[in-house]
């Protein structure tokens, strides 16, 4: 293998370059990215960048030392066996890493709507978060909650509109997500649950129920879609992202996929998974590089992510799809620090959500990995160390 092309210069792309070199690949590497920026981290965009604490989140990676040809402002448009078609012409490859991430969903309507995916999105939104501005955030998911936190801190009047009955309902279910409702009240954020936006109009949003909410700034935070349109018509199978096996191999020889765009087979959970979180973009490239170079490697992590919202560190590990029931560790109403445990029918930990309990998260992730049975009475006692349950 002489030339590897990495498409997508985000975290998963740059980590793929590093992993190829770490696995001893001495051939040429070309990294192409649609954005004009050097690879940067996205988690701070909705936190430190919006709060005005930093303007740059460039990933700490010495691309010159890695001897990579970096081509920014270049997008892949199509793929044939051995050839990537780009906006700047064709690129031959022997090995290909697909790391094109995801793009935010926009709602219909003629009015201007912000989204938050890129550093440019974050800087444009930050400029609008001025005291007294009326901000409507559509979607009380992870990013919506973080933006609401920053906007309230900036002195804006913040309204969060959520179609479900609770914040974070898609990720956690309404019962667990509902425990975060008081955080909105305490921050002075007007949370409107069970409310559907029909369209984004000039100066406000129209609701499906017929009403309208006026706004100076509208931010749509209703999720993302894998950025895989450029693979249409290619031999790479796509279904909710790029379909890859447990080695992160696609249906086309010598092509692997990583990060937000990859839908991999998890041996551990016995199902396909596509996880749009930082830890996946960080960890998957090592397996993908090994696979591309002919080594045998399996990607099978316990998924992990975090969010910082309303002054709380929220962390999650596992996959709650295999759980039968949910238990609280601590009382969200009485105690600022609590956790939710999802258990399988035979009392094994499927997933854990922790609020300001980082040690529970670290131990919980290991317990999910280990798969041991737990003593449920001890588990619900927050004074008992989780690994001793
Ligand atoms: P991306 O970061 O999306 O990078 C893909 C790159 O590919 C992009 O630069 C894109 O422009 C480029 N590209 C796309 N199509 C093409 C093409 N056809 N040709 C060339 N280039 C292309 N995760 C957490 O775990 N915790 C958090 O607190 C957290 N906060 C977040 C906050 C925000 C605002 C956002 C947006 C995400 C956050 N995430 C968080 C998620 C995390 O940042 C992503 O999971 C991670 O960035 C995925 O990395 P990636 O490299 O797969 O994709």
């Amino acid at each position: 293998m002489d030339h590897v092309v990495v498409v997508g210069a985000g975290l998963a792309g740059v980590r793929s370059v590093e992993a190829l070199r770490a696995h001893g690949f001495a051939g040429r590497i070309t990294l192409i990215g649609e954005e004009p920026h050097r690879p940067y981290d996205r988690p701070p965009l909705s936190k430190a960048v919006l709060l005005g604490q930093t303007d740059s989140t460039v990933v700490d990676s010495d691309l010159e030392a890695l001897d990579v040809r970096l081509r920014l402002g270049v997008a892949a448009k199509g793929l044939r066996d051995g050839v990537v078609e780009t906006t700047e012409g064709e690129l031959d490859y022997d090995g290909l890493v697909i790391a094109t991430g995801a793009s935010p969903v926009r709602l219909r309507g003629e009015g201007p709507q912000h989204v938050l995916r890129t550093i440019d999105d974050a800087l444009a939104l930050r400029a609008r978060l001025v005291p007294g501005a009326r901000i409507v955030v559509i979607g009380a998911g992870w990013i919506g909650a973080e933006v609401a936190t920053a906007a309230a801190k900036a002195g804006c009047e913040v309204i969060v509109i959520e179609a479900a009955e609770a914040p974070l309902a898609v990720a956690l279910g309404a019962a667990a997500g509902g425990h975060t409702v008081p955080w909105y009240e305490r921050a002075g954020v007007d949370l409107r649950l069970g409310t559907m936006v029909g369209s984004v109009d000039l100066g406000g949003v129209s609701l499906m129920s017929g009403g309208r909410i006026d706004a100076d700034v509208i931010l749509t935070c209703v999720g993302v879609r894998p950025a895989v349109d450029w693979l249409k018509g290619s031999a790479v199978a796509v279904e909710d992202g790029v379909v890859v096996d447990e080695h992160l191999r696609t249906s086309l020889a010598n092509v692997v996929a990583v990060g937000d765009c990859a839908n991999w087979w998890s041996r551990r959970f016995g199902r396909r998974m596509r996880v749009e979180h930082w830890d996946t973009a960080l960890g998957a490239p090592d397996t993908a590089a090994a696979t591309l170079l002919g080594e045998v490697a399996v990607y099978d992590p316990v998924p992990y992510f975090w969010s910082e919202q309303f002054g709380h560190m929220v962390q999650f590990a596992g996959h709650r799809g295999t759980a039968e029931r949910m238990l609280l560790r601590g009382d969200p109403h009485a105690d600022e620090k609590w956790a939710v445990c999802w258990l399988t029918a035979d009392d094994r930990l499927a997933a854990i959500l922790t609020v300001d309990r980082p040690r529970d998260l670290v131990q919980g992730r290991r317990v999910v990995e280990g798969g041991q049975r737990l003593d449920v009475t001890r588990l619900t006692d927050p004074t008992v160390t989780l690994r001793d349950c």
Side-chain angles (χ1 to χ4, degrees):
M1 189 166 291
D2 173 52
H3 184 206
V4 175
V5 173
V6 180
V7 182
L11 181 67
V14 74
R15 291 293 176 237
S16 297
V17 173
E18 291 174 348
L20 284 161
R21 293 295 184 222
H23 281 263
F25 179 65
R28 288 179 296 137
I29 304 179
T30 304
L31 173 62
I32 73 168
E34 192 168 22
E35 292 184 64
H37 309 292
R38 285 174 80 88
Y40 61 89
D41 257 332
R42 295 184 202 275
L45 301 183
S46 48
K47 306 173 185 73
V49 173
L50 278 194
L51 291 168
Q53 294 162 351
T54 184
D55 288 350
S56 167
T57 68
V58 170
V59 173
D60 183 15
S61 184
D62 190 345
L63 295 174
E64 284 67 36
L66 289 165
D67 191 18
V68 56
R69 186 163 174 236
L70 180 62
R71 298 189 60 191
L72 298 174
V74 176
K77 295 191 306 182
L79 178 66
R80 305 194 308 273
D81 194 3
V83 180
V84 181
E85 295 155 18
T86 81
T87 47
E88 303 285 318
E90 296 194 338
L91 264 179
D92 293 345
Y93 71 82
D94 304 308
L96 177 69
V97 181
I98 299 173
T100 42
S103 322
V105 173
R106 289 165 197 269
L107 295 177
R108 65 192 170 90
E110 300 300 311
Q113 53 185 303
H114 287 256
V115 291
L116 181 48
R117 183 75 195 177
T118 67
I119 182 78
D120 298 326
D121 293 339
L123 295 175
L125 179 62
R126 187 175 80 186
R128 305 292 310 274
L129 300 185
V130 293
R134 194 166 211 247
I135 315 289
V136 162
V137 178
I138 308 169
W142 300 113
I143 294 178
E146 292 186 349
V147 174
T149 303
K153 263 204 182 145
C156 304
E157 181 191 347
V158 189
I159 302 170
V160 176
I161 304 175
E162 169 56 51
E165 291 307 317
L168 304 172
V170 175
L172 304 177
H179 293 304
T180 69
V181 169
W183 300 352
Y184 289 76
E185 287 160 12
R186 266 178 242 145
V189 173
D190 179 357
L191 174 64
R192 312 227 183 142
L193 295 169
T195 306
M196 288 274 282
V197 170
S199 63
V200 176
D201 307 325
L202 277 178
V205 297
S206 296
L207 304 179
M208 294 292 253
S209 58
R212 176 186 155 95
I213 299 174
D214 292 335
D216 300 313
V217 181
I218 298 161
L219 174 77
T220 303
C221 279
V222 296
V224 295
R225 288 200 190 99
V228 292
D229 282 357
W230 66 281
L231 293 167
K232 267 185 199 147
S234 77
V236 170
V238 169
E239 194 178 335
D240 183 27
V242 179
V243 176
V244 289
D245 64 11
E246 60 187 11
H247 310 288
L248 304 180
R249 252 187 321 233
T250 71
S251 53
L252 185 60
N254 298 322
V255 180
V256 293
V258 285
D260 279 12
C261 69
N263 182 340
W264 81 91
W265 175 258
S266 165
R267 198 186 275 189
R268 180 189 303 278
F269 296 106
R271 51 161 289 158
R272 296 210 144 273
M273 302 189 93
R274 196 173 65 74
V275 176
E276 297 155 359
H277 293 296
W278 187 88
D279 194 58
T280 309
L282 184 78
D286 189 63
T287 302
T291 298
L292 211 49
L293 300 176
E295 299 166 27
V296 180
V298 171
Y299 186 61
D300 202 13
V302 170
Y304 162 74
F305 62 86
W306 81 97
S307 168
E308 295 160 40
Q309 46 183 281
F310 303 111
H312 298 284
M313 173 55 94
V314 182
Q315 294 168 288
F316 182 96
H319 170 64
R320 64 185 186 91
T322 55
E324 291 277 312
R325 61 185 172 137
M326 192 187 101
L327 293 176
L328 277 172
R329 196 168 143 76
D331 179 357
H333 300 286
D335 189 355
E336 291 285 289
K337 301 179 180 186
W338 46 275
V340 177
C341 300
W342 283 269
L343 294 175
T344 60
D346 57 354
D347 292 341
R348 294 173 210 279
L349 191 62
I352 183 164
L353 171 84
T354 63
V355 174
D356 301 321
R357 292 182 69 95
R359 190 187 290 175
D360 268 7
L361 188 281
V362 173
Q363 294 183 2
R365 193 178 188 186
R366 285 199 198 117
V367 172
V368 175
E369 267 163 8
Q372 64 266 40
R373 292 181 79 150
L374 299 174
D375 177 330
V376 171
T377 313
R378 289 169 69 78
L379 185 65
T380 51
D381 180 352
T383 64
V384 177
T385 308
L386 206 145
R387 64 161 178 254
D388 297 331
C389 290

